[in-house]
Amino acid sequence: MKLDVTKHVVNNGELNLCNNNLSEEDFHSGIKCPSMPLQSIDLSRNSLKSIPPQIFSYTTLTSLDVSRNRLQGFPPEIKLLVNLEKLIAISNHLRLRQLPINELASLHNLKLLDLRYNRKLKQAALDSLNELIIPNNSQLEIQCTISSHEESAAKKLSACDRDATLLQSQLEPLSTPQLAKRLERTFGVLLDKETEQAYNRDYVMATLLECYKKHGPREIRKEKGIPVSKHRLDALMQELNAVNWPHTTRERPKIKAEHYMIIQKPGSGVEDSVRTKKETAKLIKYKKLFDLAVETLAEVDPVFAERFTALA
C-alpha cells in the first residue's frame, strides 16, 4: 500500500493511521514513517499481527494505540519507548506468555496498560501482571475484561447445567463474533464497531435475544429417537466398565462426571503435529471403545458416523 503518512500527522505530533487496513508488509514496503518527533501514534483497527519495528524509533512517544488488530504479543523492543504513558491494546489476540514482562516493567512512565477484550487475558492473567509489573511501577493501572464472580456463576454454566430448552442455552456455545454475525444476517441489526458494546458479550447476547422475542415464538419440533440394538448397547457398556479410566477430568473440567475423556477421529488433526501424535496414541489405547461407539453411531446415523471428528 502506498500511503503518504505525513498527511496523517497533526501539529501536536500525533500520527493517526487508524482504520487503513494496514499490515506488516505495508510498513516493510510502501510506508515511510515521518522523521519528526511524535508524541502519539494510533494504529487501531488495522490488520497488524505485530507492531511494526519502525514504531520503536519514536522514543518520544507518550501514547500508542494498537487496539483491534491481530496481535498475539508485544516484542521486547517495547522497552525502547521509555516515555510511554499509555499503551492501549484492546480487542486483539494477546496471550500472557507472549507479553515481555521484564520489558513492560522497565517502562517507569507507563500509567495505563489497557488489555481489555483479549479473550486469553482474564483474572489469572491480570493477577500475574499486577504481581510482576506493579512492584516496579506503582502508578500503573492494568485493565483486563473480568466478569464478576456472580456473573461467572450465573451466566457461565457448563452445558450439562444449562436448561437446554432455553434459547440462550442454545446460543451460549457461539462466540461473541458469531452472535453478532447472527444478529446481522438474521435480523439485519448491525452493531456499531466504534463502541465497546459491539464487543461486550452480555450486550450482544441480550440484543439477539430481544430480536428473537420480537420475532415471535419459535416453532417447537418433537423428534422420536431411534433405538439401538440391545447387543450393541450391552457390548458398549461392558467396554465402558472395563476401561482403565485416566484419573483426571481436565479435558472438560466443568463436566460433572465420574469419568470423562475425548477421543479424536483419525485424520481430524494436523498431520505430524505434537497434538495429533498424542491424540493418535490415545486412540490406540482406547481403540476397542472407540470402534464400538462408532459402530453404534453407524447403526443409527451412518452419515454422521462418517462426518464426526471426535467422541466424548
Side-chain angles (χ1 to χ4, degrees):
M1 173 186 290
K2 295 294 183 181
L3 184 67
D4 187 355
V5 175
T6 56
K7 293 182 179 179
H8 296 260
V9 180
V10 294
N11 294 331
N12 58 354
E14 295 182 3
L15 174 60
N16 187 348
L17 295 175
C18 172
N19 201 19
N20 278 286
N21 196 31
L22 299 174
S23 66
E24 304 80 58
E25 289 72 22
D26 295 317
F27 282 86
H28 288 311
S29 56
I31 294 181
K32 184 178 181 181
C33 291
S35 57
M36 66 190 75
L38 296 173
Q39 277 71 52
S40 174
I41 296 180
D42 186 351
L43 289 170
S44 64
R45 301 181 187 277
N46 284 293
S47 301
L48 297 170
K49 294 181 180 178
S50 62
I51 300 177
Q54 294 95 321
I55 300 303
F56 303 114
S57 64
Y58 295 102
T59 57
T60 55
L61 273 185
T62 59
S63 176
L64 175 61
D65 190 343
V66 290
S67 299
R68 298 188 173 94
N69 280 281
R70 301 174 186 174
L71 305 179
Q72 292 189 353
F74 302 142
E77 289 77 12
I78 195 78
K79 67 181 180 182
L80 299 176
L81 303 180
V82 293
N83 291 295
L84 200 62
E85 297 179 3
K86 293 181 181 180
L87 177 53
I88 305 172
I90 296 171
S91 191
N92 278 278
H93 306 300
L94 296 173
R95 296 169 177 265
L96 180 62
R97 66 175 181 269
Q98 291 179 270
L99 298 180
I101 301 299
N102 292 336
E103 286 76 5
L104 289 170
S106 72
L107 298 175
H108 299 298
N109 290 305
L110 194 61
K111 297 177 182 177
L112 175 62
L113 177 58
D114 194 341
L115 305 174
R116 289 174 296 160
Y117 304 108
N118 284 275
R119 293 181 61 189
K120 298 295 183 180
L121 299 181
K122 301 297 184 183
Q123 185 67 60
L126 180 60
D127 291 343
S128 295
L129 290 168
N130 281 327
E131 180 182 349
L132 296 169
I133 298 178
I134 297 300
N136 296 286
N137 185 355
S138 59
Q139 68 176 345
L140 176 61
E141 178 186 1
I142 304 174
Q143 296 182 352
C144 292
T145 301
I146 308 297
S147 297
S148 69
H149 177 74
E150 291 75 19
E151 287 177 330
S152 297
K155 298 181 181 179
K156 293 192 176 181
L157 297 174
S158 61
C160 64
D161 294 321
R162 293 195 291 260
D163 183 349
T165 64
L166 298 178
L167 176 58
Q168 182 167 348
S169 298
Q170 298 164 23
L171 294 173
E172 283 294 350
L174 300 180
S175 66
T176 304
Q178 287 173 326
L179 293 174
K181 194 170 290 184
R182 180 169 293 197
L183 255 178
E184 180 181 349
R185 292 180 176 178
T186 305
F187 299 104
V189 176
L190 203 59
L191 297 173
D192 183 0
K193 294 183 179 179
E194 297 295 324
T195 66
E196 290 189 4
Q197 285 184 325
Y199 305 90
N200 184 311
R201 180 176 179 83
D202 291 339
Y203 175 80
V204 177
M205 176 69 81
T207 304
L208 183 56
L209 290 173
E210 185 62 27
C211 286
Y212 274 112
K213 184 178 179 181
K214 291 179 180 178
H215 186 266
R218 295 178 298 150
E219 178 184 355
I220 297 177
R221 297 183 182 181
K222 295 184 178 180
E223 299 286 344
K224 285 188 176 181
I226 302 173
V228 179
S229 57
K230 186 176 182 304
H231 76 276
R232 289 197 185 279
L233 291 178
D234 290 342
L236 188 56
M237 183 57 68
Q238 183 178 349
E239 183 60 23
L240 284 168
N241 289 327
V243 164
N244 183 19
W245 290 89
H247 298 290
T248 176
T249 58
R250 65 183 179 83
E251 293 180 54
R252 287 290 187 275
K254 290 184 179 180
I255 295 294
K256 295 179 180 178
E258 185 176 350
H259 301 297
Y260 187 92
M261 66 176 167
I262 300 170
I263 306 177
Q264 298 288 334
K265 188 177 182 180
S268 60
V270 179
E271 188 177 357
D272 292 332
S273 69
V274 174
R275 181 174 178 177
T276 298
K277 289 177 181 177
K278 288 182 179 179
E279 290 169 350
T280 301
K282 188 177 182 182
L283 174 63
I284 293 172
K285 184 176 181 180
Y286 301 105
K287 190 172 188 309
K288 185 176 180 181
L289 175 61
F290 180 85
D291 290 343
L292 284 169
V294 174
E295 290 170 8
T296 305
L297 273 176
E299 180 180 319
V300 176
D301 191 340
V303 176
F304 181 71
E306 289 292 328
R307 294 174 57 188
F308 82 94
T309 58
L311 288 176

